[in-house]
Amino acid sequence: MWRDESVTWQVAHRPLSGLWELLGAVDAVHGLYYLLMHGVFLLWDGGLWALRLPSVAATALAAAGVAAVAHRLAGDRAALIAGVAYAVLPPVQMYAQEGRSYALVACAVVWATHLALRERWAGYAAVLLLGCWLHEFAVLALPAHAFAAWRAPGWRRAAAAVVVLLLPLAWVSARQADQQLGWLGRPGWQDWAAYGVLAGACLLLARGAAPGVVRVALPLALLPPGVLLAVSLVHPWYVDRYVLYALAGLALLAGARLATARRWWPWLLVAALLVPAALWSVWLRTPDSRKDDALAAAAAVRERARPGDAVVFLPSRRREWLLSSPDVYAGLRDVALDRSPAASRTLQGTELPSVELREALIASPRVIALMDPAGQPLDPYPREAVKRQTLAAWFDRCSLTETRGARIAVYARPGACD
């Protein structure tokens, strides 16, 4: 369970009143997803299984939706290949096994595409709006759908309804944008290179494909990530998982092109691509595929902590590593904490002023510190500097344990490590 999944776990376990108060301050963009997961955990509090099962089911439904779209546009053979192609794409597999909203958003966009092709406009508006309320960047599917459906009066009315009904969420989340997306920088060369590879693959597959397939699949694959990349030159909002559903367009093009392949070389190319894809798929199922491992960090703390030990997080947002393991967190004194996450209507709580924080640390004979890996940039905020300086000046470091994406250090008064 990495840090984003830990957020899902701890927020979805809050009472509905606390969840509503949180969303008024932060993370409104994920509000519907948290509400859904709250219901899942009420029905079955099955740990990681319950956390990830909705994403697994959504990915299966999305693959079926890709097959349904391909069937309508290019027939049975294209449907089978496109559905399988979508399911085996490594990014799709990554978010199929993650307790976040992106697989559900992709499922909604894919089935909205299918409903648009069938001109079921009420259903189209409802399903796409569901996707947008799960994550509002699903609205970028609208300009992609316009290429195939603009002339249909029903589509224009449905699109207008989606935009109007999304406005309340957009208004609230815009006020939270600095907190929600402030960690993002402008797209790097890797982002542009990945988009270039996607665009090149889609354009290559579009050659010789039926016009109807190209009109649906190519805009879906290229417009949402392209628009978000362009916007991010001014407002840094781009993360590839925000537009995961664009890969459905790539799968549709692959299915349609391979279904009509009469020569051996396209299938040889597919076989060659399956080798690195399989290796990537195996790697995705290891802890190393995530930035950190909250449960591993909590297990390391459990092994080293004694009753009444103080705990401190450097930086404070790493409190997330223990919030999803309440049995471990409850046995420690969070000496820097001023107001809990629930009381402060925040994700990780608020901390004491610097002077009080320093006094609380000095008064603690033994401290468990949860820190970022070595080499990570240090937060320049005064509270974070006080934590580092106090530990260095008043304590000896007794041990240091590294887990995936985290370091757990035990500190004690000079001469008291034994």
Side-chain angles (χ1 to χ4, degrees), residues 119-134:
E119 298 188 0
R120 303 292 179 87
W121 300 120
Y124 169 82
V127 173
L128 187 57
L129 183 63
L130 175 64
C132 291
W133 273 80
L134 284 166

Side-chain angles (χ1 to χ4, degrees), residues 30-162:
H30 297 299
L32 181 59
Y33 177 66
Y34 292 149
L35 182 62
L36 168 67
M37 294 308 300
H38 180 85
V40 169
F41 285 125
L42 281 179
L43 290 173
W44 175 49
D45 199 347
L48 284 173
W49 282 87
L51 179 68
R52 292 172 176 162
L53 192 58
S55 295
V56 176
T59 301
L61 286 172
V66 170
V69 173
H71 181 270
R72 189 167 188 85
L73 294 173
D76 294 348
R77 185 179 174 86
L80 176 61
I81 298 171
V84 172
Y86 181 81
V88 302
L89 286 170
V92 171
Q93 294 193 27
M94 180 172 185
Y95 296 106
Q97 53 169 315
E98 183 164 302
R100 297 296 280 175
S101 65
Y102 310 111
L104 283 77
V105 175
C107 180
V109 170
V110 166
W111 281 101
T113 305
H114 183 255
L115 290 168
L117 292 175
R118 298 184 64 191
E119 298 188 0
R120 303 292 179 87
W121 300 120
Y124 169 82
V127 173
L128 187 57
L129 183 63
L130 175 64
C132 291
W133 273 80
L134 284 166
H135 196 287
E136 59 193 294
F137 286 163
V139 76
L140 295 175
L142 277 177
H145 290 159
F147 277 81
W150 174 256
R151 294 183 179 181
W155 180 84
R156 293 196 289 272
R157 288 193 294 269
V162 170

